[in-house]
Amino acid sequence: MQNSPIGLMDSGVGGLTVLKEVQRLLPTEKTVFLGDQARLPYGPRDAAEVTTFTRQIAGFLQQQANIKMLIIACNTATAAALATMQRELTIPVVGVIAPGARSAVQATHNHRIGVIATTGTVKSDQYRTTILAKDPHNDVISLACQEFVTLVEQNDLNSEHARAVVQAGLAPLLDQDIDTLVMGCTHFPLLRPLIQDVMGAGVTLVDPGTATAKMATSLLDYWNLANPEGVRHPQSDYYTTGDVDRFNELADNWLEETPVRAQHLSLTALTHTTEVN
Amino acid sequence: MQNSPIGLMDSGVGGLTVLKEVQRLLPTEKTVFLGDQARLPYGPRDAAEVTTFTRQIAGFLQQQANIKMLIIACNTATAAALATMQRELTIPVVGVIAPGARSAVQATHNHRIGVIATTGTVKSDQYRTTILAKDPHNDVISLACQEFVTLVEQNDLNSEHARAVVQAGLAPLLDQDIDTLVMGCTHFPLLRPLIQDVMGAGVTLVDPGTATAKMATSLLDYWNLANPEGVRHPQSDYYTTGDVDRFNELADNWLEETPVRAQHLSLTALTHTTEVN
């Protein structure tokens, strides 16, 4: 089991921001990533459907790669399915909301925290409740920015159009006196320069992926799951249910370990894997 | 249970270096600290005896304070008793060696890591095995510096005598080409300026306490154990089996939250607590 990879899943390429941090902190661990672009975006779907998708992907990663840990590198899927997956799976399952909430609580000084996320994550209200569960003396202002996901998946990260979308999306937060903003969707850190520009230098941007990779490291060490025979910087395996070329292009832009050569995974194969278990 | 404190234990005041970091990262969590000065040092004792002491202290902290997590803020006790305590207790039990080993693996560039610790920790060989379990491509050079514990417990942190003891103790490491040195005893960070001076600026000193506090934070968040009603910077409770005035003096020197008013705990009361369970 210690030799097995860590599995990461997302609705798209956003989770690669978490993968990159895992690769940096754990350079001798194998990783396998699955992006479910065929069913992207998860944000507007209801929680039960997202849980079903998450269960299918976890099943595939366990059967295909015998993963020793699952990182749900997607805020929407974390909000919808983390508790269920932790109950159903025997391996550790790490989500992005708890570490992101902790980072926000530690970063804020004026205790006014903004959260931008998908519709589904905002609707779940989990960032607010999780932040308050760690420190009730905070105000949390949440805002859905669903359209940011589309920008990232289209690799439209710094055009005039992208800037206008980000500017309009963030406008409701500009007079809220927040000093900390959680990028509560793993796609959003790819838009970080634009977001920082719009929010201004006085707002600390929190990338939950960074803290998630640290939590994964702690859990790996707590349960003695580190790979004792790890070579440095092993090639990761990538699967996408969507377009392979687009996935590779986005991943090559974002990751240092390149070129990425993802394998296509059909939805039929993905759902079949789970059903036969 | 979420309202309960985090318990920390050490043979003496060294564990306060871990407590300080826990207080910094988790400012709304209650903490309770027990220093077993009456039986200090643990370093030269055998593992079975240290395990018995650790079990007694864990029992006391559970009964007295209903702790929700135990941090063994002592390398000797971690080496001797962590696995046993994790098996016997139903609360999470965090030791300092795994996080310290991880920090060392992440800090080193030339992959030659020194470890200074007590006789017991060095004899256990656990830093070497834990470091290699995370990344086998490292050389680990261990050295017992038992006498450093005495300096710290006597509050002798920067006299000429202290400098001479540290100089002599570290001498065997000076020609070993290490670029990273683990302070593998929670007492040693109090001697950090002297140790850094002797080792030179080119050697990165690793304080496992820092990483331990991060692991404790991750576990707290993973299991939803954070205190949702926490006030900021609550006063900690302190117990010592040794001299209360000396404990308070050392703690006041080291911690920011002062003055410390420890309660004395007799060994009779400590061992009785455990036996009646």
Side-chain angles (χ1 to χ4, degrees):
Chain A
M1 196 62 166
Q2 292 170 323
N3 272 325
S4 297
I6 297 169
L8 294 97
M9 63 156 285
D10 185 25
S11 61
V13 293
L16 295 174
T17 61
V18 185
L19 177 67
K20 188 178 186 175
E21 194 62 16
V22 169
Q23 289 175 334
R24 195 180 69 79
L25 289 183
L26 298 168
T28 51
E29 294 297 330
K30 292 184 249 179
T31 47
V32 52
F33 182 91
L34 194 153
D36 190 12
Q37 268 98 344
R39 299 185 288 196
L40 178 129
Y42 279 9
R45 297 179 187 268
D46 72 28
E49 188 175 35
V50 173
T51 301
T52 301
F53 293 176
T54 305
R55 186 183 287 116
Q56 289 167 349
I57 293 169
F60 174 81
L61 290 173
Q62 285 201 290
Q63 192 169 70
Q64 183 73 18
N66 189 31
I67 54 169
K68 60 183 174 185
M69 176 185 282
L70 174 65
I71 299 178
I72 304 182
C74 169
N75 288 269
T76 311
T78 297
L82 176 64
T84 306
M85 288 300 104
Q86 287 181 333
R87 211 163 44 236
E88 293 183 1
L89 302 185
T90 54
I91 57 173
V93 185
V94 183
V96 285
I97 294 179
R102 174 64 66 192
S103 294
V105 165
Q106 290 174 337
T108 186
H109 293 288
N110 74 357
H111 301 286
R112 291 185 58 80
I113 299 170
V115 176
I116 51 173
T118 63
T119 318
T121 303
V122 169
K123 198 184 291 173
S124 79
D125 205 26
Q126 282 201 25
Y127 263 107
R128 204 181 59 80
T129 55
T130 309
I131 285 170
L132 297 183
K134 295 184 197 317
D135 183 350
H137 316 285
N138 284 289
D139 289 313
V140 181
I141 299 100
S142 302
L143 179 69
C145 296
Q146 185 62 49
E147 63 278 23
F148 292 9
V149 176
T150 315
L151 291 179
V152 173
E153 289 291 331
Q154 291 173 345
N155 204 11
D156 184 4
L157 304 181
N158 49 27
S159 70
E160 275 313 302
H161 170 67
R163 178 173 295 273
V165 170
V166 171
Q167 181 91 49
L170 294 177
L173 283 180
L174 292 179
D175 60 352
Q176 292 293 327
D177 189 30
I178 58 168
D179 73 347
T180 301
L181 178 62
V182 179
M183 298 183 285
C185 168
T186 51
H187 284 79
F188 295 178
L190 286 96
L191 294 166
R192 183 174 200 137
L194 281 186
I195 295 170
Q196 188 76 67
D197 223 39
V198 171
M199 294 309 299
V203 173
T204 302
L205 297 187
V206 168
D207 175 1
T210 311
T212 302
K214 285 181 187 154
M215 180 186 270
T217 303
S218 288
L219 294 175
L220 207 70
D221 290 337
Y222 187 74
W223 279 299
N224 284 323
L225 286 172
N227 183 1
E229 295 159 13
V231 296
R232 289 214 188 90
H233 308 296
Q235 182 71 35
S236 294
D237 288 324
Y238 300 90
Y239 295 92
T240 174
T241 58
D243 184 84
V244 168
D245 292 336
R246 172 171 291 185
F247 183 95
N248 290 342
E249 186 192 342
L250 281 160
D252 280 345
N253 277 353
W254 182 251
L255 296 172
E256 272 140 46
E257 171 216 11
T258 57
V260 166
R261 293 283 168 267
Q263 298 170 66
H264 184 256
L265 176 68
S266 71
L267 287 181
T268 317
L270 178 57
T271 51
H272 181 68
T273 306
T274 319
E275 277 158 17
V276 296
N277 277 310
Chain B
M1 195 62 166
Q2 292 169 324
N3 272 325
S4 298
I6 298 169
L8 295 96
M9 62 155 287
D10 185 25
S11 62
V13 294
L16 295 174
T17 62
V18 184
L19 176 66
K20 187 178 185 174
E21 194 63 17
V22 169
Q23 289 175 334
R24 195 181 68 80
L25 289 183
L26 298 168
T28 52
E29 293 297 330
K30 292 183 250 178
T31 47
V32 52
F33 182 91
L34 194 153
D36 191 13
Q37 267 99 342
R39 298 185 289 196
L40 176 130
Y42 280 8
R45 297 179 188 267
D46 72 28
E49 189 175 34
V50 173
T51 301
T52 300
F53 293 176
T54 305
R55 186 183 289 117
Q56 289 167 349
I57 293 169
F60 174 80
L61 291 173
Q62 287 201 290
Q63 193 169 70
Q64 182 73 19
N66 189 31
I67 55 169
K68 61 184 173 184
M69 174 184 284
L70 174 65
I71 300 178
I72 304 182
C74 168
N75 287 268
T76 310
T78 297
L82 177 64
T84 306
M85 289 300 103
Q86 287 181 333
R87 211 163 44 237
E88 292 182 3
L89 302 185
T90 53
I91 57 172
V93 185
V94 183
V96 284
I97 294 180
R102 173 63 67 192
S103 293
V105 165
Q106 290 175 337
T108 187
H109 294 287
N110 76 355
H111 301 286
R112 293 185 56 78
I113 298 170
V115 177
I116 50 174
T118 64
T119 318
T121 303
V122 169
K123 198 183 289 172
S124 79
D125 205 27
Q126 281 200 26
Y127 263 106
R128 203 181 59 80
T129 54
T130 309
I131 286 170
L132 298 183
K134 295 183 197 318
D135 184 349
H137 316 284
N138 285 288
D139 289 313
V140 181
I141 300 100
S142 301
L143 178 69
C145 295
Q146 186 61 49
E147 63 278 23
F148 292 10
V149 176
T150 315
L151 290 179
V152 173
E153 289 290 332
Q154 292 175 342
N155 203 12
D156 184 4
L157 304 179
N158 50 28
S159 70
E160 275 314 301
H161 170 67
R163 178 172 296 273
V165 170
V166 170
Q167 181 90 47
L170 295 176
L173 284 180
L174 293 179
D175 59 352
Q176 293 292 328
D177 190 30
I178 58 169
D179 73 347
T180 301
L181 178 62
V182 179
M183 297 183 286
C185 169
T186 50
H187 284 78
F188 295 177
L190 286 98
L191 294 166
R192 183 174 201 137
L194 281 187
I195 295 170
Q196 188 75 68
D197 223 41
V198 172
M199 294 308 299
V203 172
T204 303
L205 297 188
V206 168
D207 175 1
T210 311
T212 302
K214 286 181 186 152
M215 180 186 271
T217 303
S218 289
L219 294 175
L220 207 71
D221 290 337
Y222 187 74
W223 278 300
N224 285 324
L225 286 172
N227 183 2
E229 296 159 15
V231 297
R232 289 212 188 92
H233 310 296
Q235 182 72 35
S236 295
D237 288 322
Y238 300 90
Y239 294 92
T240 173
T241 58
D243 185 83
V244 168
D245 291 337
R246 171 171 291 184
F247 183 95
N248 289 342
E249 186 193 341
L250 281 159
D252 279 345
N253 277 353
W254 182 251
L255 296 172
E256 272 141 46
E257 171 218 10
T258 57
V260 166
R261 293 286 168 265
Q263 298 171 65
H264 184 257
L265 176 67
S266 71
L267 287 182
T268 317
L270 179 57
T271 52
H272 182 69
T273 306
T274 320
E275 278 159 17
V276 296
N277 278 310

